[in-house]
Amino acid sequence: MGAKYIPEPFRIKMVETIKMLTREERKQKIAEAKYNMFNLRGEDVYIDLLTDSGTNAMSQEQWAGVIRGDEAYAGGSSYFKLVEAAQDIFGYKYIQPVHQGRAAEKVMFGILLGQDKYSISNTHFDTTRAHVEATGARAIDCVVEVAKDPAKRAPFKGNMDVEKLESLIKEYGDNKVGLVVMTITNNSAGGQPVSVQNVRETAAICKNHGIKLCIDAARYAENAYFVKEREEGYSDKSIKEIVKEMFGYADMFTMSAKKDTIVNMGGLIGVKDDEKLFQACKERTILFEGFITYGGLSGRDLESLAIGLYEGLDENYLKYRIGQMKYLASRLDEAGITYQSPVGGHGVFVDAKAMLPQIPFYEFPAQALAIELYIEAGIRSCDIGSYMMGNDPDTGKQIKSEFEFTRLAIPRRVYTQSHFDVMADALISIKERASEIHGYRITWEPAVLRHFQASLEPVEI
């Protein structure tokens, strides 16, 4: 018996019309997009699972906040509401808004990283890796080994491999490791959670070597929900209590607020108590984002973000949110389709390598599956695999990813059970003809973050 769909803890007050193109039209559209999901027009997509970043449905309280937003250039009331909310939730003294997560990385990483430095993470996501490399540093991933087997179930597959972390620091030297980044949940590893114990152990290693620990906090609330469900000693704690403890072990955080704070635009930097570091952050924010009390955001964005920080912690909402993933995963279990299991917090990461074993990593099986999903049912998803990883910055050779996932990232408060059944049915149909599917080659690519812009073509057999 599969998982029961969790009823939505809200009523729908406004709808957006979407349309389904014919199969022939979808084939034409993806070819015109040069087989790049980012090149598709949104209006030509039926169910959009490209990302859960900024694609959320805001609440009536957030929309009311949009009207109340204070648009003062300096010192607006919406800024202070946001700072006070973030200080309350995370327990950090210093909070800086920015326009999104990659802006937070640009501000922070330029201070702590540089030529011949290293950043070590449980897994760097694409933009995080790019910002590390943009400073001249190198990004090293250090996720636990169990994460590399999608079919194997473990409660915290997003964890840092602490023994490997210790050996990497000794290999590179304390003075060469500019930063350790703990991504919660671990996006590239399948939206998998990180335990409080693992954060605590990682923090102890960092403190022993005099290295700053930064939390990539995009999906902090979903991670806390998994801790409450799975980690001994936390079942009776509130989500807010779990969040405050986890963040208490780190020195700073960067956040794309476009995920767990359920807004369409926004980001945050948090610094626990290092005034000198925060002053450097403020200087770079003014340089790249605008004045510190708006940080590249309008007052209405700041207001809705302050409200969303609390809404994202609601346990009834989180139960529904994670329940959607469990429902889709149960449909895939019944069909024998492998995904990163147990299912993560913000999407289902289908194991394209298992479904399409005939396609080698350099012909991008996860991208091939994403293309087939669009052709099959108008579903836009994305590659989290070798296509996204790109080329080695030193050798220029294609990197072979540890994973070949096609990510179905689920926007918050947007899709219903019927949409999830369309997703499952499409994957089941594709599985039945999987042996007929071929790979893709790149015909053009930019130097940085190629998957956003590259052109592809089918590999002729």
Side-chain angles (χ1 to χ4, degrees):
M1 182 69 178
K4 182 180 179 182
Y5 190 86
I6 301 294
E8 287 79 1
F10 53 81
R11 294 181 298 203
I12 297 169
K13 186 175 285 191
M14 183 175 70
V15 298
E16 175 188 359
T17 301
I18 55 177
K19 64 179 181 180
M20 172 75 87
L21 302 179
T22 67
R23 189 180 190 90
E24 287 307 311
E25 287 173 329
R26 296 195 297 271
K27 283 183 177 180
Q28 180 181 342
K29 294 295 183 182
I30 193 64
E32 290 172 355
K34 298 180 180 176
Y35 300 98
N36 186 327
M37 310 311 291
F38 291 89
N39 288 339
L40 287 168
R41 294 178 66 134
E43 64 189 35
D44 295 329
V45 175
Y46 179 58
I47 299 175
D48 202 342
L49 310 180
L50 183 68
T51 181
D52 63 317
S53 178
T55 56
N56 311 294
M58 293 203 301
S59 69
Q60 62 181 7
E61 286 77 17
Q62 288 176 295
W63 281 111
V66 166
I67 303 300
R68 292 194 301 265
D70 184 348
E71 302 300 341
Y73 184 93
S77 61
S78 299
Y79 162 76
F80 291 106
K81 287 179 185 176
L82 172 59
V83 169
E84 288 166 9
Q87 288 172 332
D88 175 44
I89 291 168
F90 301 109
Y92 281 25
K93 185 176 181 179
Y94 302 113
I95 301 294
Q96 176 60 59
V98 290
H99 84 273
Q100 65 182 81
R102 68 192 64 177
E105 292 167 351
K106 183 176 182 180
V107 168
M108 181 66 74
F109 291 0
I111 300 167
L112 298 171
L113 296 172
Q115 200 70 37
D116 299 324
K117 293 273 190 178
Y118 295 91
S119 170
I120 304 174
S121 175
N122 53 338
T123 313
H124 296 85
F125 196 57
D126 56 358
T127 54
T128 313
R129 182 179 301 277
H131 277 294
V132 169
E133 293 175 354
T135 71
R138 292 293 175 259
I140 309 298
D141 291 338
C142 188
V143 71
V144 288
E145 284 298 313
V146 69
K148 299 172 185 178
D149 184 353
K152 189 168 185 178
R153 293 177 180 265
F156 293 102
K157 291 174 80 171
N159 278 356
M160 184 84 73
D161 185 332
V162 289
E163 291 183 6
K164 184 178 177 182
L165 172 64
E166 185 77 65
S167 66
L168 286 169
I169 293 171
K170 289 179 180 177
E171 178 184 347
Y172 298 131
D174 295 7
N175 62 328
K176 292 286 189 178
V177 179
L179 196 60
V180 171
V181 178
M182 181 68 87
T183 308
I184 60 172
T185 56
N186 191 330
N187 189 357
S188 292
Q192 293 293 307
V194 175
S195 69
V196 174
Q197 180 181 345
N198 188 247
V199 176
R200 188 186 305 119
E201 291 172 353
T202 301
I205 291 170
C206 290
K207 186 175 182 180
N208 186 49
H209 291 278
I211 298 168
K212 296 284 190 183
L213 174 60
C214 177
I215 291 179
D216 178 343
R219 300 174 180 89
Y220 70 99
E222 292 169 5
N223 198 97
Y225 185 82
F226 282 119
V227 167
K228 185 177 176 69
E229 270 198 329
R230 299 177 182 177
E231 190 165 0
E232 186 176 354
Y234 289 91
S235 61
D236 293 330
K237 290 185 179 291
S238 70
I239 298 298
K240 187 178 175 183
E241 287 172 331
I242 295 168
V243 167
K244 189 163 283 189
E245 180 179 348
M246 289 193 79
F247 280 75
Y249 295 119
D251 299 292
M252 78 275 290
F253 70 80
T254 58
M255 178 194 289
S256 168
K258 297 164 67 177
K259 284 86 168 174
D260 269 3
T261 54
I262 325 178
V263 294
N264 305 126
M265 186 57 66
L268 290 175
I269 295 169
V271 177
K272 185 194 288 181
D273 54 17
D274 188 333
E275 185 177 1
K276 182 178 179 181
L277 174 61
F278 186 62
Q279 180 59 38
C281 287
K282 289 196 293 184
E283 291 170 6
R284 288 174 65 84
T285 296
I286 293 171
L287 184 62
F288 299 129
E289 293 288 284
F291 190 60
I292 55 175
T293 61
Y294 74 91
L297 294 168
S298 62
R300 53 188 173 268
D301 292 322
L302 298 170
E303 191 86 26
S304 59
L305 207 167
I307 296 165
L309 277 168
Y310 287 109
E311 290 189 352
L313 299 178
D314 181 76
E315 290 186 28
N316 288 326
Y317 154 74
L318 286 166
K319 180 180 180 181
Y320 145 78
R321 168 73 176 159
I322 305 302
Q324 285 189 314
M325 312 307 150
K326 291 179 178 178
Y327 175 77
L328 179 55
S330 73
R331 291 282 324 266
L332 301 189
D333 286 336
E334 291 168 0
I337 294 174
T338 306
Y339 56 90
Q340 178 65 297
S341 60
V343 71
H346 69 283
V348 176
F349 289 60
V350 180
D351 186 354
K353 184 162 56 176
M355 187 179 286
L356 306 172
Q358 73 275 18
I359 301 179
F361 76 93
Y362 51 84
E363 292 179 1
F364 316 127
Q367 180 69 6
L369 180 54
I371 291 165
E372 292 302 316
L373 261 175
Y374 179 72
I375 293 171
E376 182 67 31
I379 298 168
R380 176 158 63 170
S381 56
C382 78
D383 169 291
I384 304 290
S386 297
Y387 174 57
M388 185 190 78
M389 285 292 290
N391 300 316
D392 186 285
D394 298 313
T395 67
K397 292 183 178 180
Q398 170 66 53
I399 298 170
K400 183 178 181 180
S401 176
E402 296 278 9
F403 314 105
E404 299 292 348
F405 292 140
T406 302
R407 184 185 72 173
L408 281 64
I410 310 299
R412 293 160 184 82
R413 303 190 293 211
V414 172
Y415 293 116
T416 66
Q417 180 176 357
S418 296
H419 294 111
F420 282 85
D421 285 332
V422 171
M423 300 170 204
D425 292 343
L427 284 165
I428 292 166
S429 294
I430 292 169
K431 184 188 177 188
E432 291 172 355
R433 56 181 177 83
S435 62
E436 304 168 8
I437 298 171
H438 303 300
Y440 289 79
R441 66 168 63 93
I442 293 174
T443 59
W444 175 82
E445 62 183 296
V448 178
L449 291 169
R450 72 178 185 193
H451 57 293
F452 288 122
Q453 299 185 72
S455 301
L456 301 98
E457 65 181 9
V459 173
E460 299 296 333
I461 301 298

